[in-house]
Amino acid sequence: MPQITVDYSTSLAEAFDRRAFAAALHRLTAEAVDTPLDTCKTRFRRIAREETYVADGAPEHAVVHVDVALLPGRTPEVKARLSEAVLELLRAHTASAGLTVHASVDVPDLGAAYRKHVGV
């Protein structure tokens, strides 16, 4: 059920091991919200440099934002703990980039119309 979206600056592409981040993120999320690991899904969206402007616009700034959308019912405290843990994970996975990384996380509820299908 967790629908995870990661938007990140192109400048992070070389230093941000997205597969390793997703693997760690799925384990962390599954444990934090008590859901099976195989329900976690992550998609990455690279943001072109000309599509972002951070601070004074200097090229050493990068952006990464993670949305971890969950089915309703998690308490604000659970969501806050998850967002803090994801933020720490982001810091660890972008530390070697040599950039000033502006990282953020949100944990919204999926809408009432959310549906999914797994199979052929």
Side-chain angles (χ1 to χ4, degrees):
M1 152 267 314
Q3 294 288 336
I4 304 166
T5 305
V6 181
D7 295 313
Y8 68 97
S9 296
T10 299
S11 55
L12 284 173
E14 296 299 316
F16 184 29
D17 184 342
R18 293 172 299 283
R19 293 191 64 77
F21 175 74
L25 178 60
H26 287 191
R27 287 188 303 272
L28 184 153
T29 302
E31 184 178 317
V33 300
D34 192 28
T35 193
L37 183 68
D38 65 354
T39 66
C40 297
K41 297 155 288 298
T42 296
R43 66 181 167 192
F44 292 91
R45 299 187 299 198
R46 188 181 304 197
I47 307 166
R49 185 172 190 283
E50 48 285 340
E51 300 297 325
T52 59
Y53 190 91
V54 181
D56 61 0
E60 66 269 5
H61 292 281
V63 174
V64 62
H65 176 78
V66 178
D67 274 320
V68 182
L70 304 170
L71 289 172
R74 276 32 182 235
T75 66
E77 294 78 19
V78 166
K79 290 178 178 183
R81 281 194 303 274
L82 177 58
S83 65
E84 284 295 330
V86 173
L87 194 58
E88 188 57 39
L89 189 64
L90 269 175
R91 287 185 196 120
H93 280 263
T94 59
S96 67
L99 301 165
T100 301
V101 179
H102 299 258
S104 58
V105 178
D106 192 18
V107 184
D109 286 340
L110 291 164
Y114 172 77
R115 301 291 185 271
K116 79 173 196 172
H117 168 76
V118 178
V120 211

